[in-house]
Amino acid sequence: MAGSQALANLVQPPPNQPAAPSGPPGQGPVGLQGAPPHVAPEQGGPRQAVHQQAPPTQAPPRGAPGRAPAGPRTMRDRARALIASAPKWLPLLLVLEGLAMYILALKVPPGPFWGVDPADIDGLGLISALPPTAFIAIVIMIVSFFITVTQSTDRKFLLLFQIAAITFALHGAGALVAEEPRFPTAYIHAGFVDFIGRTGETAINIDARMGWPGFFALFAFVTKAAGITDMTTILQWTPLLSNLLYLLPFVLILRQVVATTRARWFAALLFVLVQWIGQDYFSPQGFTFALYLAFVAILLRWFGRVEPRTKPVPTKGLRKLIGRLDAMTPGELANTGTFRADKLLMLMMLVLLFAASVASHQITPFMMLGVLTAFLIFKRTTLTWGLPFFLGLIVLAWISYMTVGFWASQIDTIFGGLGNILANLRSNTGDRIEGSDPAHALVLQGRLGILAVILGCAAAGIFRRLRRGVFDRSALILLCVPVLALGLQSYGGEIGLRIYMFALPGACLLAAYAFFPNLPSDSADVREETVPLRKRNVRFNPELTKKISLVLAACFAVMFAFTFLLARYGNEKFERVSTGEVAALHYVYEHDKPSARVVYLVPKVGEEVTPTLPWGEQDIERVSFNTQALVHKDPSKIADVVNTMKGQSRNSYLIVSRGQVSYLQLNQGFPADWGEKFRAALDKAPQLKRVYSNDDAALYTWKTFVRGTEIPEPNEYKGRGDPTSPWTPVGLGALGVTWAALFGYEIIRLNGPNRAPRARKRLMWLAIPAFVVALAVIIERFIHIAQNN
């Protein structure tokens, strides 16, 4: 009864204000403001004054002397009234001013205080070319945010607009400055979309990513239905739109935790400030990360579970520590009052989100599955153990039946990194710093610095919440589960980046608790947000500590914002794509009948090197990017390049581009004038002929070929069909039976733990042997196909 009364009191409006809109039955008020149902109202606080009966007032009788009418207001009165109302209009004015200043700072012609000159970009990246007004504008927007968040009312729409403005400033900087869509790999993804739209098929023998074509097929359908032929605008603005999209499910996640308004909104701001990872471009990873956040939000919002501990705490040992943690106040809000139809709809949505991730990306489904399993282990969801087996079988079935062309001959590559945690970690940290340009090394160290600071803040947040008797299991799960991916494989040296990205929701929430760890009070007066859960010595004035926390949070926000620009755009010198580079590759596409080959520069020949080019935008089945030319720090040593071109067929082009040269300079220590001297050496080589050039790129071919030499036909992309195994039909049937039985079990379980136990038992007895058979056939396929291919 006390918890229900507290929750009812929470949604009552403060004096002289209308009631806040409420959500579904049993849910709190809409927005990021919420209170735990277990905290009792403070005695003698403003809530008590609300219920006191005010003496009735009577209008003066007609003719009786009343209050004299107010005279005309002077300019001084109006100025005082305007200053008194500043908290209402000043934050909006500041954020609009900062946003306008920032756009002007990046878009106007270069000058001493305005504009960006790409020639000024050095090893530090874009931050070296930004004018001072851009940094001032970012500070103004952050100050505007903190002015709003310190007010006594939760101004949700203004706070969302302020965070969106900061997101635009940080994640939209590349689009504002770049003349072409940045990040070279986005172009090959546009090429996959173009290929599927033209042919209606996938081609896993051309590129392994086509074995997970869900993202590409979706955009092929959208662009074809909308009549879009040029994806430049989509590629240009996808990073900004992706980060704005990430905010929506993350805000829903924040609504389900027991935290103050300031903690929640600061966590949302941190999520924008430290997301430098750069996987938000036009890619399956950027798309499925939004699906991952939505998956977690649905788990917490519609299937969350919070149950107080009823067992006594053991008296000693590890069990005592676990029992004390279990007896603490949960850091999540209980899910009550949800209709069964809503739960059924959300269960279907969970399955659809997971299936879309399975068809689009290799890692995201395992992150979803890990979070769901951890929620079940730590009793933070009402779902059953049947669902992770159901979803896990979807992943295994897709890999076994839909990506055979990828894994049939690469078993060692796929499983070679299992368990090599230290090697996988080193490939994502130390190996990325060694041998770099001194200025560019600061960029890489800055990225590791952001990681260290955000994890340090998260650790401090955990400690401060535990001191207040709160155990945030869900946030810890979101932080720790992605780290387990280190035991899989290096993922081309990028598994650490993926782990950081998936751990951000939990890390940002816990880091916000380092500054605002208290629980929300059960009071209509939001200025008194915190209520201590136990008696402790008060060493400082609470009002002073509150101000210090706000100032520290603002300082950290500004620090993260500036470091973000260093970390996110530190590779801008070679990730920035120029018009000249795009034009050079368009020349190749215009001359790729029936096929063509592009030879790109590498400091060492290997399989894990991705071209630093806007490659593969068109005709991916005709143009091959599989040939590398070895180059040296001495630009005059071109013998290896010449020998490589000598062995190529007609329509083979050696490309020398600004991006490749910049990559070699920053990451391999090549001289600053290497590009000009290397192109001059190629121009003098009698065996080569320059067929195209501009300031940013040049194309070279072999000068003379033997008479009668023909251009080879492109590789057949349809293939001869995927190999199979004798037990495959049995496995397909077992899969269908398993999925039907487990999904039916989960639907019945939504009605309650005690509903239809006999029917659920029968479904489980049907699902278990079918699951065993389906899993055995998947294993049999791996063994049989790998041995015969």
Side-chain angles (χ1 to χ4, degrees):
M1 293 300 293
S4 301
Q5 181 64 31
L7 185 60
N9 291 339
L10 174 64
V11 300
Q12 291 183 1
N16 302 324
Q17 292 187 13
S22 61
Q27 306 304 313
V30 178
L32 289 181
Q33 174 65 28
H38 55 273
V39 180
E42 292 181 323
Q43 299 297 326
R47 175 65 54 100
Q48 193 176 17
V50 173
H51 297 285
Q52 294 178 355
Q53 296 293 330
T57 59
Q58 297 181 359
R62 182 176 300 177
R67 180 176 298 177
R73 300 178 65 183
T74 64
M75 291 297 296
R76 179 177 298 179
D77 294 335
R78 293 179 180 176
R80 290 176 178 174
L82 184 63
I83 295 174
S85 62
K88 295 182 179 180
W89 54 263
L90 182 59
L92 180 60
L93 178 64
L94 285 176
V95 71
L96 291 176
E97 178 186 359
L99 191 59
M101 181 186 296
Y102 188 81
I103 295 175
L104 291 175
L106 269 62
K107 296 298 291 183
V108 300
F113 299 103
W114 305 92
V116 175
D117 186 358
D120 294 335
I121 297 176
D122 58 18
L124 293 177
L126 181 62
I127 196 172
S128 60
L130 289 178
T133 47
F135 300 101
I136 297 174
I138 293 174
V139 173
I140 291 175
M141 286 186 278
I142 293 177
V143 169
S144 168
F145 170 84
F146 278 94
I147 291 177
T148 306
V149 84
T150 56
Q151 295 178 5
S152 60
T153 56
D154 187 8
R155 305 176 68 179
K156 303 176 183 62
F157 294 106
L158 178 57
L159 287 165
L160 279 174
F161 177 73
Q162 290 168 327
I163 292 180
I166 296 172
T167 305
F168 176 83
L170 297 180
H171 295 273
L176 290 174
V177 173
E179 51 191 11
E180 296 287 344
R182 64 187 303 277
F183 206 68
T185 309
Y187 289 82
I188 184 65
H189 294 161
F192 295 155
V193 172
D194 170 73
F195 176 81
I196 295 176
R198 283 189 291 107
T199 65
E201 300 181 15
T202 60
I204 195 171
N205 63 318
I206 294 179
D207 194 285
R209 285 166 287 189
M210 295 289 274
W212 289 263
F215 170 78
F216 309 122
L218 172 63
F219 273 89
F221 170 78
V222 171
T223 53
K224 194 170 184 178
I228 299 174
T229 58
D230 185 4
M231 295 187 62
T232 300
T233 304
I234 296 177
L235 300 184
Q236 186 93 343
W237 293 101
T238 294
L240 173 62
L241 296 178
S242 296
N243 283 278
L244 292 175
L245 179 62
Y246 298 157
L247 279 175
L248 300 179
F250 187 61
V251 166
L252 186 57
I253 292 173
L254 295 178
R255 284 190 57 194
Q256 294 307 119
V257 298
V258 179
T260 63
T261 302
R262 294 169 182 171
R264 292 176 173 183
W265 285 112
F266 186 57
L269 179 63
L270 284 178
F271 186 70
V272 172
L273 297 180
V274 300
Q275 220 280 72
W276 59 265
I277 205 66
Q279 296 300 318
D280 47 16
Y281 66 102
F282 187 78
S283 65
Q285 175 67 94
F287 171 71
T288 55
F289 184 59
L291 302 185
Y292 168 81
L293 293 173
F295 185 88
V296 174
I298 291 175
L299 278 179
L300 288 173
R301 173 64 180 82
W302 280 273
F303 301 102
R305 176 184 176 188
V306 176
E307 295 181 0
R309 180 185 176 91
T310 57
K311 299 179 180 179
V313 177
T315 57
K316 59 181 180 179
L318 181 61
R319 296 176 58 189
K320 178 181 178 181
L321 176 61
I322 297 175
R324 291 183 61 183
L325 291 175
D326 193 30
M328 286 184 175
T329 301
E332 308 83 15
L333 290 175
N335 175 33
T336 58
T338 304
F339 295 107
R340 286 190 298 245
D342 295 338
K343 287 188 175 183
L344 177 59
L345 179 63
M346 290 299 106
L347 177 62
M348 297 174 63
M349 184 62 67
L350 278 180
V351 176
L352 289 176
L353 290 173
F354 188 85
S357 299
V358 169
S360 300
H361 197 249
Q362 300 90 335
I363 292 180
T364 305
F366 291 98
M367 297 295 183
M368 291 179 171
L369 197 58
V371 169
L372 173 61
T373 304
F375 276 16
L376 285 166
I377 293 175
F378 293 98
K379 301 179 181 179
R380 278 301 173 263
T381 180
T382 58
L383 297 169
T384 71
W385 280 98
L387 189 61
F389 285 95
F390 176 90
L391 300 180
L393 202 57
I394 294 178
V395 179
L396 295 178
W398 181 272
I399 296 175
S400 177
Y401 293 92
M402 303 302 294
T403 65
V404 180
F406 167 67
W407 58 261
S409 58
Q410 302 189 55
I411 297 295
D412 293 338
T413 302
I414 297 173
F415 299 104
L418 290 177
N420 296 332
I421 296 178
L422 295 179
N424 296 338
L425 180 62
R426 177 174 174 78
S427 67
N428 289 271
T429 53
D431 289 351
R432 290 180 172 265
I433 298 177
E434 295 174 0
S436 298
D437 174 79
H440 193 61
L442 293 177
V443 175
L444 305 179
Q445 292 167 4
R447 293 172 177 175
L448 296 178
I450 292 180
L451 171 64
V453 173
I454 198 68
L455 289 181
C457 290
I462 295 172
F463 175 75
R464 298 196 72 186
R465 293 280 279 186
L466 290 177
R467 286 199 62 194
R468 284 154 179 79
V470 184
F471 187 33
D472 298 281
R473 298 189 197 182
S474 296
L476 280 170
I477 289 172
L478 296 179
L479 174 63
C480 297
V481 164
V483 181
L484 300 177
L486 273 177
L488 296 177
Q489 58 168 291
S490 67
Y491 198 68
E494 293 188 353
I495 192 64
L497 303 179
R498 304 303 197 274
I499 290 173
Y500 177 83
M501 185 177 185
F502 283 101
L504 273 183
C508 292
L509 181 56
L510 293 173
Y513 292 153
F515 301 89
F516 310 107
N518 295 327
L519 296 179
S521 71
D522 187 28
S523 171
D525 189 352
V526 189
R527 289 172 297 183
E528 301 295 335
E529 279 193 81
T530 58
V531 173
L533 293 182
R534 59 185 179 84
K535 294 182 180 180
R536 53 194 175 95
N537 296 328
V538 179
R539 301 178 182 177
F540 303 101
N541 184 350
E543 291 296 327
L544 177 62
T545 57
K546 184 185 299 184
K547 294 177 181 178
I548 293 176
S549 297
L550 286 169
V551 172
L552 285 176
C555 292
F556 269 78
V558 172
M559 178 195 69
F560 279 130
F562 291 166
T563 312
F564 171 92
L565 294 173
L566 177 69
R568 178 67 176 87
Y569 300 106
N571 295 340
E572 196 68 10
K573 194 167 183 179
F574 57 86
E575 286 184 351
R576 180 176 61 91
V577 176
S578 65
T579 303
E581 292 174 299
V582 174
L585 285 168
H586 280 195
Y587 177 90
V588 176
Y589 303 142
E590 293 168 0
H591 298 80
D592 63 358
K593 307 298 186 296
S595 69
R597 183 178 299 274
V598 175
V599 181
Y600 61 96
L601 311 178
V602 294
K604 57 182 178 180
V605 178
E607 298 180 358
E608 294 286 346
V609 179
T610 301
T612 313
L613 298 166
W615 61 303
E617 183 184 4
Q618 301 175 23
D619 300 342
I620 63 169
E621 75 276 21
R622 296 194 187 105
V623 184
S624 170
F625 291 86
N626 294 329
T627 306
Q628 304 167 350
L630 181 64
V631 294
H632 307 275
K633 292 183 180 181
D634 183 356
S636 63
K637 295 176 64 175
I638 61 173
D640 290 324
V641 174
V642 172
N643 290 332
T644 300
M645 291 299 296
K646 182 179 180 180
Q648 304 304 314
S649 59
R650 287 183 181 268
N651 263 13
S652 296
Y653 300 91
L654 172 70
I655 183 169
V656 182
S657 64
R658 181 200 55 79
Q660 293 183 93
V661 173
S662 298
Y663 178 84
L664 294 172
Q665 291 171 347
L666 294 181
N667 291 280
Q668 302 297 328
F670 279 47
D673 58 350
W674 185 89
E676 293 82 0
K677 292 184 178 180
F678 182 71
R679 287 178 60 169
L682 293 177
D683 290 336
K684 295 178 181 179
Q687 304 94 331
L688 302 179
K689 177 177 63 174
R690 186 177 63 186
V691 296
Y692 180 88
S693 67
N694 55 46
D695 293 339
D696 296 317
L699 295 173
Y700 297 86
T701 64
W702 194 253
K703 181 173 287 188
T704 58
F705 286 89
V706 177
R707 184 182 298 274
T709 303
E710 299 294 335
I711 302 174
E713 293 292 327
N715 293 329
E716 181 66 31
Y717 61 83
K718 291 184 179 180
R720 57 181 176 82
D722 290 337
T724 184
S725 72
W727 288 90
T728 294
V730 177
L732 291 174
L735 281 174
V737 173
T738 306
W739 285 332
L742 290 178
F743 193 68
Y745 181 91
E746 202 67 44
I747 291 176
I748 297 175
R749 180 62 172 73
L750 292 178
N751 298 326
N754 299 321
R755 297 294 295 271
R758 184 175 300 177
R760 288 191 287 121
K761 186 175 181 180
R762 291 175 179 174
L763 287 174
M764 191 55 63
W765 278 111
L766 177 64
I768 291 176
F771 178 87
V772 173
V773 172
L775 184 61
V777 173
I778 289 175
I779 296 174
E780 182 263 346
R781 283 175 54 84
F782 272 103
I783 297 175
H784 178 85
I785 295 175
Q787 289 178 346
N788 292 276
N789 290 274

